[in-house]
Amino acid sequence: MNIHEYQAKQILEKYGVPIPKGKMIEKAEDAKDAAREIGGNIWVVKAQIHAGGRGKGGGVKLARSLDEVEKYASEIIGMNLITHQTGPAGKLVKKAYIEGGIDIKKELYLGMVLDRAKELPVMMASTEGGVEIEKVAAETPEKIIKVEIDPLTGFQGYHARELAFGLNLSKEQIKEFGKFAKALYNVYTLNDASLVEINPLVLTADDKFIALDAKMGFDDNSLFRHKDISEMRDFDEEDPAEIEAGNYGLSYVKLDGEVGCMVNGAGLAMSTMDIIKLEGGEPANFLDVGGKASASTVAKGFEIILKDPNVKAILVNIFGGIVRCDRIANGILEATETTRVEVPIVVRLDGTNAKEAIEIIGDSNLSNIISATDLGDAARKVVKAAKGV
Amino acid sequence: MSILVNKSSRVIVQGFTGKEGTFHAEQCIAYGTNVVGGVTPGKGGQTHLEKPVFNTVKEAVKATEADTSLILVPPAFAADAVMEAAASGIKVIVCITEGIPTRDVIIAKKFANKQGTTLVGPNCPGIISADEAKVGIMPGFVFKKGTVGLISKSGTLTYEMANQVVLAGLGISTAIGIGGDPIIGSTIIDLLKLFEKDQETEAIVIIGEIGGDMEIQAAEYIKGNITKPVVAFIAGRTAPKGKRMGHAGAIIAGSKGTAQEKMDALAEAGVTVVDSPAEVGVKVREVLNKN
């Protein structure tokens, strides 16, 4: 789960990480009050969406008067912001964050993330602040300093020193940096974050470190023990169909093709998408109905798939283990009665009670249901059906 | 022969009396697995499925000489269960539970390693050595006895692939679902080592997927260490970047962890990489016929 910058900064503040004074607003008319409360004579108005690259897309503006703060806030709130991470459709901005201006001496990078290969969290720092870290990693990997942190020992002084010396900080700065990095580690660990990124980490004119931007993601599996973070979830940032599917225990990802698919198991679902492509079609979605697929989950699955007007045919691919195929077959028949399914459905059922299931489908005499014997056969048939041949 | 579990494995089930625990323990017993008891804190002294129930793993091990544990407890308690088993002298732990926080898995895995325990999972279907023992939740009838070892990140895709292997006239020695989480106990390399040594196994199938670089590490290892033929399939060539595909670990981060880079690395290591998920069984037969 990801959160907004203003939420990430609330968390940072709670853990003693210095942040600029700021306030989130949802209406442009609140902008001046917010700016007055923050004080100073220079402010930054920032669009709050989950995607990066907001500045380049026109979602971050520097204001030099209260009138400008209001002007930029009214431009930003309600704008459709397109960045390299939003996709071409862009993202509607509903919130802005107003922040006091900072006197910047140097921009650095500091982040923490899980290194899957090392099976440990790593903290990374770089002198190349304000640039995407993936870009730095690709072009000048030597400019990234990494320390692995064993959760059994926690964050130690040497971790901070390795990073600080790598950043060429002065003696006074090193002490300040150490406090900042330790607080960032606490934010990451104590909240089960999957990513904490401060980019840029600013060294101010008076030699203080401050988090100018903040990005955070959390381990979905741990949200049950972080109620405060779960409450930060912004449903506007997610696909409504994916949210609905999740509410029914289904895992759904919308894609751009014309062949809908409904499968039990994530690996088999991905493979089904892959084979549709190999046979010359394009998958319309990823849909895993889970290990406990039932008639009602199958019905819900059809409903979600059919909300996508691009879908020309559907492939149901179930390998029954604990799940019995005959129950799924009955579920399909029930679902086609309750949900009007007008596109062809290719059904491939294998595993537990597959024989009975195939008979049920065969006896149904439904003109738009096509039976398939194996994965290859099913993929060929559904691609043909989607093309209308 | 087989790897990790066999006829003489003495298995306990943690979460024995729960709904999932009861259902799957029954299935394992029906398959012929030597289930010697189970653990449910607070229910020690009872009998369940005609087997003794213990309060702690330590008691269970003392009374039954159990060496293998199947864990079917809810995510909030699963890492604790893994560490309890490792602390009590269990040699092979199979953790089925999906949804354990990554931080907990990291710590549990470190502890299991320190105790010299093999951890398989979490978020996996478990291990089956055909006709010997099923320590997991897979449908046993699919896995006919044979000489092909199977290592897979997925559940139903494992059943699909095992079924293809059987339809191709072959069979399975041991199949292991290693799990779809970002951090898992046994890696592909850990299991390749065991299959290489196992006299019964003649060929190895790897079923990988997008996310992480475990398959690429495996490719490096295969080059210098594996003499048996290896066939691989990687799921998720059509998966979009940055989207989690069902499994917590199945996500392409930036441009890393794509199916294509894994397929390329495996092919370069001499592995027979199969494009179509429908042709894995046939390819394994071809590879074995050639040898």
Side-chain angles (χ1 to χ4, degrees), chain A residues 330-386:
Chain A
N330 283 321
I332 294 168
L333 299 187
E334 266 178 56
T336 52
E337 279 167 23
T338 52
T339 312
R340 271 174 71 93
V341 186
E342 282 164 3
V343 299
I345 307 171
V346 175
V347 179
R348 183 265 176 151
L349 297 159
D350 210 336
T352 309
N353 290 12
K355 211 170 139 249
E356 293 85 339
I358 292 161
E359 280 167 17
I360 292 168
I361 297 288
D363 293 343
S364 72
N365 289 323
L366 281 171
S367 60
N368 64 333
I369 296 190
I370 304 160
S371 226
T373 52
D374 59 37
L375 189 51
D377 183 44
R380 280 186 292 276
K381 281 180 175 159
V382 80
V383 169
K384 251 177 93 177

Side-chain angles (χ1 to χ4, degrees), chain B:
Chain B
M1 281 281 283
S2 50
I3 69 167
L4 293 171
V5 299
N6 57 37
K7 270 201 179 85
S8 48
S9 296
R10 300 176 66 79
V11 182
I12 54 165
V13 178
Q14 288 173 259
F16 190 37
T17 59
K19 195 171 157 237
E20 297 279 314
T22 302
F23 179 80
H24 291 294
E26 243 173 348
Q27 299 279 320
C28 289
I29 293 166
Y31 189 79
T33 309
N34 185 20
V35 175
V36 295
V39 175
T40 298
K43 296 204 173 170
Q46 297 182 8
T47 300
H48 185 62
L49 308 177
E50 296 167 31
K51 313 282 178 192
V53 184
F54 301 91
N55 282 323
T56 65
V57 177
K58 202 161 269 172
E59 285 168 19
V61 169
K62 201 174 165 202
T64 67
E65 290 175 30
D67 54 16
T68 303
S69 179
L70 174 64
I71 295 180
L72 287 152
V73 305
F77 314 107
D80 176 7
V82 168
M83 291 187 275
E84 183 185 1
S88 307
I90 294 286
K91 291 291 160 222
V92 176
I93 300 171
V94 178
C95 184
I96 305 298
T97 310
E98 179 175 4
I100 310 177
T102 302
R103 177 157 58 107
D104 298 6
V105 179
I106 292 174
I107 292 171
K109 176 174 181 176
K110 278 183 157 285
F111 182 68
N113 284 350
K114 183 180 146 271
Q115 297 293 105
T117 310
T118 298
L119 170 65
V120 170
N123 190 10
C124 77
I127 314 174
I128 185 166
S129 289
D131 293 350
E132 294 199 52
K134 173 176 110 138
V135 185
I137 61 169
M138 59 285 274
F141 70 91
V142 176
F143 298 80
K144 298 274 183 309
K145 183 93 185 151
T147 61
V148 179
L150 192 63
I151 305 167
S152 170
K153 276 187 170 177
S154 172
T156 46
L157 188 57
T158 310
Y159 319 156
E160 165 74 39
M161 295 311 183
N163 193 45
Q164 284 184 25
V165 168
V166 170
L167 289 175
L170 305 163
I172 302 294
S173 54
T174 299
I176 302 116
I178 59 173
D181 274 359
I183 306 292
I184 50 174
S186 295
T187 63
I188 298 172
I189 294 178
D190 294 334
L191 299 166
L192 283 171
K193 285 179 189 168
L194 299 180
F195 276 132
E196 176 71 12
K197 273 191 278 182
D198 178 40
Q199 288 178 353
E200 190 189 44
T201 302
E202 290 175 3
I204 305 163
V205 176
I206 298 171
I207 310 296
E209 67 186 22
I210 56 162
D213 73 341
M214 193 174 277
E215 294 85 350
I216 293 172
Q217 290 184 33
E220 276 304 309
Y221 181 82
I222 288 167
K223 275 185 205 166
N225 301 287
I226 301 295
T227 58
K228 294 178 182 178
V230 182
V231 174
F233 170 76
I234 306 294
R237 286 166 87 181
T238 50
K241 284 180 183 170
K243 278 279 186 186
R244 213 169 287 285
M245 307 301 278
H247 291 151
I251 181 164
I252 300 168
S255 56
K256 290 280 174 201
T258 64
Q260 198 57 51
E261 65 175 356
K262 295 180 181 200
M263 292 167 74
D264 292 347
L266 287 161
E268 207 247 323
V271 170
T272 304
V273 179
V274 188
D275 273 337
S276 166
E279 286 166 12
V280 171
V282 178
K283 287 285 177 192
V284 177
R285 189 176 56 204
E286 271 177 36
V287 166
L288 275 174
N289 285 346
K290 243 185 270 168
N291 278 52

Side-chain angles (χ1 to χ4, degrees), chain A residues 182-229:
Chain A
K182 175 76 196 259
L184 198 76
Y185 171 80
N186 287 338
V187 168
Y188 179 93
T189 304
L190 300 176
N191 294 292
D192 282 297
S194 52
L195 169 81
V196 173
E197 198 173 66
I198 309 298
N199 191 21
L201 161 65
V202 160
L203 184 61
T204 60
D206 54 351
D207 263 354
K208 296 266 186 294
F209 289 96
I210 192 161
L212 197 60
D213 196 4
K215 193 173 164 189
M216 283 186 203
F218 299 88
D219 175 6
D220 291 341
N221 287 348
S222 76
L223 291 175
F224 70 86
R225 61 187 181 199
H226 299 290
K227 201 164 167 280
D228 51 339
I229 287 163

Side-chain angles (χ1 to χ4, degrees), chain A residues 29-41:
Chain A
E29 61 246 45
D30 296 336
K32 276 187 179 171
D33 282 346
R36 261 189 222 110
E37 200 185 314
I38 292 161
N41 51 16

Side-chain angles (χ1 to χ4, degrees), chain A residues 16 48 68 73 124 133 135 159 238 241 250 325 359 385:
Chain A
Q48 297 296 293
E68 274 190 11
M124 293 180 289
I133 197 70
K135 197 166 174 247
H159 292 121
E238 298 172 36
L250 311 178
C325 288
E359 280 167 17

Side-chain angles (χ1 to χ4, degrees), chain A residues 203-373:
Chain A
L203 184 61
T204 60
D206 54 351
D207 263 354
K208 296 266 186 294
F209 289 96
I210 192 161
L212 197 60
D213 196 4
K215 193 173 164 189
M216 283 186 203
F218 299 88
D219 175 6
D220 291 341
N221 287 348
S222 76
L223 291 175
F224 70 86
R225 61 187 181 199
H226 299 290
K227 201 164 167 280
D228 51 339
I229 287 163
S230 308
E231 282 168 359
M232 291 182 173
R233 184 169 171 193
D234 183 351
F235 290 93
D236 287 341
E237 289 287 331
E238 298 172 36
D239 182 281
E242 290 177 20
I243 297 170
E244 194 190 349
N247 290 341
Y248 288 88
L250 311 178
S251 177
Y252 172 83
V253 177
K254 194 187 168 308
L255 303 168
D256 300 325
E258 69 291 340
V259 181
C261 30
M262 175 157 33
V263 188
N264 67 331
L268 191 59
M270 277 189 272
S271 306
T272 305
M273 287 159 41
D274 295 346
I275 197 166
I276 287 168
K277 174 98 173 172
L278 279 174
E279 293 298 339
E282 287 288 343
N285 66 279
F286 167 89
L287 177 59
D288 173 10
V289 294
K292 288 174 197 139
S294 65
S296 64
T297 50
V298 168
K300 198 72 211 169
F302 277 125
E303 213 180 283
I304 289 166
I305 290 172
L306 288 168
K307 277 192 182 146
D308 176 357
N310 293 334
V311 170
K312 301 276 185 297
I314 299 173
L315 171 53
V316 179
N317 182 21
I318 304 287
F319 199 100
I322 306 309
V323 170
R324 283 169 43 188
C325 288
D326 52 335
R327 287 202 185 150
I328 297 292
N330 283 321
I332 294 168
L333 299 187
E334 266 178 56
T336 52
E337 279 167 23
T338 52
T339 312
R340 271 174 71 93
V341 186
E342 282 164 3
V343 299
I345 307 171
V346 175
V347 179
R348 183 265 176 151
L349 297 159
D350 210 336
T352 309
N353 290 12
K355 211 170 139 249
E356 293 85 339
I358 292 161
E359 280 167 17
I360 292 168
I361 297 288
D363 293 343
S364 72
N365 289 323
L366 281 171
S367 60
N368 64 333
I369 296 190
I370 304 160
S371 226
T373 52

Side-chain angles (χ1 to χ4, degrees), chain A residues 3-244:
Chain A
I3 59 173
H4 289 293
E5 175 197 1
Y6 77 92
Q7 296 167 318
K9 283 184 170 163
Q10 284 169 7
I11 298 174
L12 290 175
E13 195 175 25
K14 204 169 115 190
Y15 285 81
V17 177
I19 55 163
K21 269 183 129 177
K23 202 163 167 32
M24 190 276 286
I25 57 163
E26 290 178 86
K27 288 188 233 113
E29 61 246 45
D30 296 336
K32 276 187 179 171
D33 282 346
R36 261 189 222 110
E37 200 185 314
I38 292 161
N41 51 16
I42 191 160
W43 299 270
V44 184
V45 185
K46 301 162 110 176
Q48 297 296 293
I49 58 167
H50 284 180
R54 292 171 298 167
K56 277 185 203 145
V60 178
K61 294 274 163 92
L62 190 71
R64 296 176 189 277
S65 69
L66 290 173
D67 287 337
E68 274 190 11
V69 171
E70 190 177 64
K71 178 173 167 266
Y72 292 138
S74 69
E75 284 171 17
I76 285 172
I77 296 175
M79 84 184 284
N80 189 50
L81 183 53
I82 302 169
T83 81
H84 68 289
Q85 287 184 1
T86 59
K91 194 84 215 167
L92 178 69
V93 181
K94 293 192 169 173
K95 296 179 179 111
Y97 190 58
I98 300 179
E99 216 167 50
I102 297 289
D103 199 354
I104 300 171
K105 184 152 90 180
K106 209 180 202 178
E107 290 190 39
L108 306 167
Y109 171 95
L110 189 64
M112 199 164 163
V113 69
L114 173 72
D115 185 325
R116 286 176 63 169
K118 299 211 162 79
E119 303 182 338
L120 288 172
V122 295
M123 197 180 279
M124 293 180 289
S126 174
T127 50
E128 307 302 291
V131 183
E132 252 190 86
I133 197 70
E134 287 82 11
K135 197 166 174 247
V136 183
E139 289 166 10
T140 47
E142 71 283 359
K143 288 188 175 165
I144 299 177
I145 312 124
K146 282 188 193 180
V147 292
E148 294 159 19
I149 304 164
D150 190 322
L152 299 179
T153 64
F155 191 80
Q156 296 294 329
Y158 77 89
H159 292 121
R161 290 194 297 275
E162 273 183 37
L163 295 171
F165 283 112
L167 291 171
N168 280 319
L169 299 180
S170 71
K171 208 177 149 194
E172 294 72 33
Q173 290 166 352
I174 286 175
K175 207 176 149 211
E176 281 296 307
F177 177 84
K179 277 195 255 170
F180 191 104
K182 175 76 196 259
L184 198 76
Y185 171 80
N186 287 338
V187 168
Y188 179 93
T189 304
L190 300 176
N191 294 292
D192 282 297
S194 52
L195 169 81
V196 173
E197 198 173 66
I198 309 298
N199 191 21
L201 161 65
V202 160
L203 184 61
T204 60
D206 54 351
D207 263 354
K208 296 266 186 294
F209 289 96
I210 192 161
L212 197 60
D213 196 4
K215 193 173 164 189
M216 283 186 203
F218 299 88
D219 175 6
D220 291 341
N221 287 348
S222 76
L223 291 175
F224 70 86
R225 61 187 181 199
H226 299 290
K227 201 164 167 280
D228 51 339
I229 287 163
S230 308
E231 282 168 359
M232 291 182 173
R233 184 169 171 193
D234 183 351
F235 290 93
D236 287 341
E237 289 287 331
E238 298 172 36
D239 182 281
E242 290 177 20
I243 297 170
E244 194 190 349

